[in-house]
Amino acid sequence: MGCDGGTIPRRDELVKTKKKPEQKDKNSELAFRWKHCAISQEKLVQPVVACELGRLYNKESVLKVFIEKTELSPMFRHLRGMRDVKELNLTENPAASTSRKTGTGDGYVDSGISEYICPVVGLEMSGKYKFCVLWACGCVLSERALKEVKSKVCHKCGKAYEEQDIIPLNGTAEEETALEHRMQARRALAKAAKKAKKTDKGKEKEIQSNSTDMPSTSSSGAECVKDGLSKIKSSSTSRSDKKTEAPTQTAFASKDSKSSSEKVGTKRKVGIQDDPTASKTFKSLFTSCEKAKQQKQGHWVTFNPMYY
C-alpha cells in the first residue's frame, strides 16, 4: 500500500462496508432435521418416533424426558406423554448399508446417503422430498407415492387409513400451524367422548342400583304380563273355591257351636247327685238330695240350717 505502482488496492480495503449477516444453508439445515433428534440433537437411531406436528425424535430420549420429568421448551409443550407419540415403521436404504461396509481404510464414504427410503417409489428420506407418516399404522411413505397410487389402504402394511391420518414430516411453518389446529380439535373430541362415557357409566350404575332396590323393574315386559295373568287366574280360582267352601264351612261351624253349647250345658247340669261314682250316703250329706229335702226335722247328728 505504498502507492509506488506495484500494488492496486481494492474497494473493500479502502472503504469500510457493513457486513451481511450469515445465512443458514437450507439444505444442510434440512439434512440435520431429518437425521437428528429434535430434543436431544443426537443422531436418529431406531426406534424412531414422531409427534402430531411431524417432528422426529429418538424414542429413548423422549422416554428419558418423561421419566426424569425435565422441563421442555415451549416448542415441545404439546408432548404430554407417550400417547402423543407414534413409533415409525421405516424401510432401510440398502445403499447406506453397503456404504457402511466398504467405508474402511481409504475408501470413500458418502455421508449424503439417507438411511431410509420410500418403500413404493424408492426416494431417499433426506429432506429433498416430502415424506408423510400414516398415524393409523406408523408407516412412512413419500408424498409422491400417496398422490400417484391413490387408495384408502396403506401401501406397505395394508391397514386402512383416512385423510386426517396423513401427517407431513418436518413440514413448513404453515403446515405445522395447520397440524396444531387439527391436533387441538382431535384432543377436544377425545375429551368430549371421555366425558360422555363417564356420564353413561354413572347412569348405568344408577339404573343398576334402582333395579336392585326394585327387582320387579328389572324383569321384562312379557314376564310382567305373564306374572299378572297368573296372579289374576289364581285369585279367580281362589274366589270360586271360597264360594263353594263357604256353605260347608258355615254348616260345620253351626254344628260345632251346637255341640259345644250342649257340652257346656251338660257340664253345668252335672252335679253331686247325678254323679254315678258317688255313694248314696255321700249324696245324703248335701241338701240337694231328695231324702234330705223330705226331712222336716233335723237329725241330731247332722245339722241342717234349712229347718231353723
PDB file of all heavy atoms in Angstrom, residues 178-197:
ATOM      1  N   ALA A 178     -51.259 -25.662  10.740  1.00  0.00           N
ATOM      2  CA  ALA A 178     -52.456 -26.432  10.374  1.00  0.00           C
ATOM      3  C   ALA A 178     -52.536 -27.727  11.172  1.00  0.00           C
ATOM      4  O   ALA A 178     -53.614 -28.124  11.656  1.00  0.00           O
ATOM      5  CB  ALA A 178     -52.438 -26.731   8.878  1.00  0.00           C
ATOM      6  N   LEU A 179     -51.388 -28.392  11.350  1.00  0.00           N
ATOM      7  CA  LEU A 179     -51.358 -29.627  12.136  1.00  0.00           C
ATOM      8  C   LEU A 179     -51.682 -29.362  13.608  1.00  0.00           C
ATOM      9  O   LEU A 179     -52.322 -30.185  14.270  1.00  0.00           O
ATOM     10  CB  LEU A 179     -49.982 -30.284  12.019  1.00  0.00           C
ATOM     11  CG  LEU A 179     -49.641 -30.936  10.680  1.00  0.00           C
ATOM     12  CD1 LEU A 179     -48.171 -31.338  10.651  1.00  0.00           C
ATOM     13  CD2 LEU A 179     -50.511 -32.145  10.412  1.00  0.00           C
ATOM     14  N   GLU A 180     -51.253 -28.192  14.120  1.00  0.00           N
ATOM     15  CA  GLU A 180     -51.545 -27.861  15.515  1.00  0.00           C
ATOM     16  C   GLU A 180     -53.050 -27.659  15.731  1.00  0.00           C
ATOM     17  O   GLU A 180     -53.612 -28.120  16.725  1.00  0.00           O
ATOM     18  CB  GLU A 180     -50.789 -26.584  15.900  1.00  0.00           C
ATOM     19  CG  GLU A 180     -50.815 -26.302  17.384  1.00  0.00           C
ATOM     20  CD  GLU A 180     -49.904 -25.146  17.758  1.00  0.00           C
ATOM     21  OE1 GLU A 180     -49.206 -24.618  16.858  1.00  0.00           O
ATOM     22  OE2 GLU A 180     -49.894 -24.775  18.949  1.00  0.00           O
ATOM     23  N   HIS A 181     -53.717 -26.971  14.768  1.00  0.00           N
ATOM     24  CA  HIS A 181     -55.171 -26.797  14.867  1.00  0.00           C
ATOM     25  C   HIS A 181     -55.889 -28.153  14.815  1.00  0.00           C
ATOM     26  O   HIS A 181     -56.837 -28.406  15.567  1.00  0.00           O
ATOM     27  CB  HIS A 181     -55.669 -25.898  13.734  1.00  0.00           C
ATOM     28  CG  HIS A 181     -55.236 -24.470  13.879  1.00  0.00           C
ATOM     29  ND1 HIS A 181     -55.473 -23.730  15.023  1.00  0.00           N
ATOM     30  CD2 HIS A 181     -54.574 -23.639  13.023  1.00  0.00           C
ATOM     31  CE1 HIS A 181     -54.986 -22.502  14.874  1.00  0.00           C
ATOM     32  NE2 HIS A 181     -54.425 -22.417  13.669  1.00  0.00           N
ATOM     33  N   ARG A 182     -55.420 -29.026  13.931  1.00  0.00           N
ATOM     34  CA  ARG A 182     -56.021 -30.358  13.830  1.00  0.00           C
ATOM     35  C   ARG A 182     -55.817 -31.155  15.122  1.00  0.00           C
ATOM     36  O   ARG A 182     -56.726 -31.868  15.575  1.00  0.00           O
ATOM     37  CB  ARG A 182     -55.393 -31.122  12.657  1.00  0.00           C
ATOM     38  CG  ARG A 182     -56.144 -32.386  12.271  1.00  0.00           C
ATOM     39  CD  ARG A 182     -55.307 -33.278  11.358  1.00  0.00           C
ATOM     40  NE  ARG A 182     -54.981 -32.642  10.110  1.00  0.00           N
ATOM     41  CZ  ARG A 182     -54.241 -33.217   9.165  1.00  0.00           C
ATOM     42  NH1 ARG A 182     -53.745 -34.442   9.359  1.00  0.00           N
ATOM     43  NH2 ARG A 182     -53.978 -32.585   8.038  1.00  0.00           N
ATOM     44  N   MET A 183     -54.620 -31.018  15.723  1.00  0.00           N
ATOM     45  CA  MET A 183     -54.328 -31.724  16.976  1.00  0.00           C
ATOM     46  C   MET A 183     -55.244 -31.232  18.094  1.00  0.00           C
ATOM     47  O   MET A 183     -55.795 -32.036  18.869  1.00  0.00           O
ATOM     48  CB  MET A 183     -52.865 -31.491  17.357  1.00  0.00           C
ATOM     49  CG  MET A 183     -52.430 -32.099  18.672  1.00  0.00           C
ATOM     50  SD  MET A 183     -50.725 -31.672  19.104  1.00  0.00           S
ATOM     51  CE  MET A 183     -50.881 -29.905  19.389  1.00  0.00           C
ATOM     52  N   GLN A 184     -55.443 -29.930  18.196  1.00  0.00           N
ATOM     53  CA  GLN A 184     -56.319 -29.391  19.238  1.00  0.00           C
ATOM     54  C   GLN A 184     -57.757 -29.862  19.055  1.00  0.00           C
ATOM     55  O   GLN A 184     -58.438 -30.208  20.033  1.00  0.00           O
ATOM     56  CB  GLN A 184     -56.256 -27.860  19.236  1.00  0.00           C
ATOM     57  CG  GLN A 184     -54.917 -27.312  19.719  1.00  0.00           C
ATOM     58  CD  GLN A 184     -54.816 -25.812  19.581  1.00  0.00           C
ATOM     59  OE1 GLN A 184     -55.742 -25.167  19.065  1.00  0.00           O
ATOM     60  NE2 GLN A 184     -53.712 -25.241  20.025  1.00  0.00           N
ATOM     61  N   ALA A 185     -58.232 -29.889  17.806  1.00  0.00           N
ATOM     62  CA  ALA A 185     -59.599 -30.362  17.547  1.00  0.00           C
ATOM     63  C   ALA A 185     -59.747 -31.838  17.912  1.00  0.00           C
ATOM     64  O   ALA A 185     -60.749 -32.247  18.507  1.00  0.00           O
ATOM     65  CB  ALA A 185     -59.944 -30.140  16.076  1.00  0.00           C
ATOM     66  N   ARG A 186     -58.722 -32.636  17.590  1.00  0.00           N
ATOM     67  CA  ARG A 186     -58.772 -34.063  17.907  1.00  0.00           C
ATOM     68  C   ARG A 186     -58.785 -34.291  19.418  1.00  0.00           C
ATOM     69  O   ARG A 186     -59.536 -35.134  19.925  1.00  0.00           O
ATOM     70  CB  ARG A 186     -57.556 -34.761  17.280  1.00  0.00           C
ATOM     71  CG  ARG A 186     -57.577 -36.278  17.364  1.00  0.00           C
ATOM     72  CD  ARG A 186     -56.299 -36.863  16.807  1.00  0.00           C
ATOM     73  NE  ARG A 186     -56.128 -36.585  15.401  1.00  0.00           N
ATOM     74  CZ  ARG A 186     -55.038 -36.870  14.701  1.00  0.00           C
ATOM     75  NH1 ARG A 186     -54.001 -37.455  15.300  1.00  0.00           N
ATOM     76  NH2 ARG A 186     -54.962 -36.581  13.422  1.00  0.00           N
ATOM     77  N   ARG A 187     -57.987 -33.527  20.148  1.00  0.00           N
ATOM     78  CA  ARG A 187     -57.954 -33.688  21.607  1.00  0.00           C
ATOM     79  C   ARG A 187     -59.271 -33.241  22.249  1.00  0.00           C
ATOM     80  O   ARG A 187     -59.724 -33.832  23.240  1.00  0.00           O
ATOM     81  CB  ARG A 187     -56.784 -32.896  22.183  1.00  0.00           C
ATOM     82  CG  ARG A 187     -55.437 -33.529  21.868  1.00  0.00           C
ATOM     83  CD  ARG A 187     -54.284 -32.741  22.458  1.00  0.00           C
ATOM     84  NE  ARG A 187     -53.008 -33.364  22.144  1.00  0.00           N
ATOM     85  CZ  ARG A 187     -51.824 -32.896  22.515  1.00  0.00           C
ATOM     86  NH1 ARG A 187     -51.751 -31.757  23.219  1.00  0.00           N
ATOM     87  NH2 ARG A 187     -50.703 -33.523  22.191  1.00  0.00           N
ATOM     88  N   ALA A 188     -59.882 -32.184  21.702  1.00  0.00           N
ATOM     89  CA  ALA A 188     -61.176 -31.741  22.231  1.00  0.00           C
ATOM     90  C   ALA A 188     -62.240 -32.812  22.027  1.00  0.00           C
ATOM     91  O   ALA A 188     -63.058 -33.076  22.921  1.00  0.00           O
ATOM     92  CB  ALA A 188     -61.596 -30.443  21.546  1.00  0.00           C
ATOM     93  N   LEU A 189     -62.226 -33.454  20.852  1.00  0.00           N
ATOM     94  CA  LEU A 189     -63.181 -34.544  20.604  1.00  0.00           C
ATOM     95  C   LEU A 189     -62.949 -35.719  21.550  1.00  0.00           C
ATOM     96  O   LEU A 189     -63.904 -36.329  22.046  1.00  0.00           O
ATOM     97  CB  LEU A 189     -63.062 -35.010  19.147  1.00  0.00           C
ATOM     98  CG  LEU A 189     -63.613 -34.070  18.073  1.00  0.00           C
ATOM     99  CD1 LEU A 189     -63.236 -34.575  16.688  1.00  0.00           C
ATOM    100  CD2 LEU A 189     -65.131 -33.948  18.188  1.00  0.00           C
ATOM    101  N   ALA A 190     -61.685 -36.032  21.813  1.00  0.00           N
ATOM    102  CA  ALA A 190     -61.373 -37.136  22.727  1.00  0.00           C
ATOM    103  C   ALA A 190     -61.862 -36.834  24.148  1.00  0.00           C
ATOM    104  O   ALA A 190     -62.416 -37.700  24.829  1.00  0.00           O
ATOM    105  CB  ALA A 190     -59.864 -37.395  22.740  1.00  0.00           C
ATOM    106  N   LYS A 191     -61.699 -35.568  24.607  1.00  0.00           N
ATOM    107  CA  LYS A 191     -62.184 -35.181  25.935  1.00  0.00           C
ATOM    108  C   LYS A 191     -63.700 -35.294  26.019  1.00  0.00           C
ATOM    109  O   LYS A 191     -64.258 -35.775  27.011  1.00  0.00           O
ATOM    110  CB  LYS A 191     -61.752 -33.752  26.249  1.00  0.00           C
ATOM    111  CG  LYS A 191     -60.302 -33.627  26.682  1.00  0.00           C
ATOM    112  CD  LYS A 191     -59.979 -32.201  27.055  1.00  0.00           C
ATOM    113  CE  LYS A 191     -58.515 -32.056  27.482  1.00  0.00           C
ATOM    114  NZ  LYS A 191     -58.188 -30.649  27.826  1.00  0.00           N
ATOM    115  N   ALA A 192     -64.390 -34.825  24.958  1.00  0.00           N
ATOM    116  CA  ALA A 192     -65.857 -34.899  24.957  1.00  0.00           C
ATOM    117  C   ALA A 192     -66.332 -36.350  24.995  1.00  0.00           C
ATOM    118  O   ALA A 192     -67.283 -36.685  25.709  1.00  0.00           O
ATOM    119  CB  ALA A 192     -66.399 -34.192  23.719  1.00  0.00           C
ATOM    120  N   ALA A 193     -65.657 -37.219  24.239  1.00  0.00           N
ATOM    121  CA  ALA A 193     -66.037 -38.636  24.238  1.00  0.00           C
ATOM    122  C   ALA A 193     -65.805 -39.265  25.611  1.00  0.00           C
ATOM    123  O   ALA A 193     -66.614 -40.067  26.093  1.00  0.00           O
ATOM    124  CB  ALA A 193     -65.234 -39.385  23.171  1.00  0.00           C
ATOM    125  N   LYS A 194     -64.697 -38.889  26.284  1.00  0.00           N
ATOM    126  CA  LYS A 194     -64.424 -39.434  27.619  1.00  0.00           C
ATOM    127  C   LYS A 194     -65.476 -38.984  28.625  1.00  0.00           C
ATOM    128  O   LYS A 194     -65.940 -39.764  29.468  1.00  0.00           O
ATOM    129  CB  LYS A 194     -63.039 -38.970  28.066  1.00  0.00           C
ATOM    130  CG  LYS A 194     -62.506 -39.707  29.280  1.00  0.00           C
ATOM    131  CD  LYS A 194     -61.131 -39.196  29.668  1.00  0.00           C
ATOM    132  CE  LYS A 194     -60.071 -39.700  28.728  1.00  0.00           C
ATOM    133  NZ  LYS A 194     -58.704 -39.311  29.159  1.00  0.00           N
ATOM    134  N   LYS A 195     -65.898 -37.704  28.549  1.00  0.00           N
ATOM    135  CA  LYS A 195     -66.936 -37.210  29.459  1.00  0.00           C
ATOM    136  C   LYS A 195     -68.258 -37.929  29.211  1.00  0.00           C
ATOM    137  O   LYS A 195     -68.981 -38.272  30.151  1.00  0.00           O
ATOM    138  CB  LYS A 195     -67.117 -35.708  29.264  1.00  0.00           C
ATOM    139  CG  LYS A 195     -66.004 -34.873  29.873  1.00  0.00           C
ATOM    140  CD  LYS A 195     -66.262 -33.401  29.696  1.00  0.00           C
ATOM    141  CE  LYS A 195     -65.140 -32.563  30.307  1.00  0.00           C
ATOM    142  NZ  LYS A 195     -65.373 -31.109  30.105  1.00  0.00           N
ATOM    143  N   ALA A 196     -68.565 -38.158  27.925  1.00  0.00           N
ATOM    144  CA  ALA A 196     -69.810 -38.866  27.602  1.00  0.00           C
ATOM    145  C   ALA A 196     -69.788 -40.287  28.160  1.00  0.00           C
ATOM    146  O   ALA A 196     -70.796 -40.779  28.676  1.00  0.00           O
ATOM    147  CB  ALA A 196     -70.003 -38.890  26.090  1.00  0.00           C
ATOM    148  N   LYS A 197     -68.640 -40.952  28.074  1.00  0.00           N
ATOM    149  CA  LYS A 197     -68.521 -42.302  28.634  1.00  0.00           C
ATOM    150  C   LYS A 197     -68.731 -42.299  30.143  1.00  0.00           C
ATOM    151  O   LYS A 197     -69.395 -43.168  30.700  1.00  0.00           O
ATOM    152  CB  LYS A 197     -67.148 -42.891  28.304  1.00  0.00           C
ATOM    153  CG  LYS A 197     -67.018 -43.404  26.883  1.00  0.00           C
ATOM    154  CD  LYS A 197     -65.662 -44.024  26.669  1.00  0.00           C
ATOM    155  CE  LYS A 197     -65.516 -44.541  25.246  1.00  0.00           C
ATOM    156  NZ  LYS A 197     -64.175 -45.136  25.016  1.00  0.00           N
TER     157      LYS A 197
END
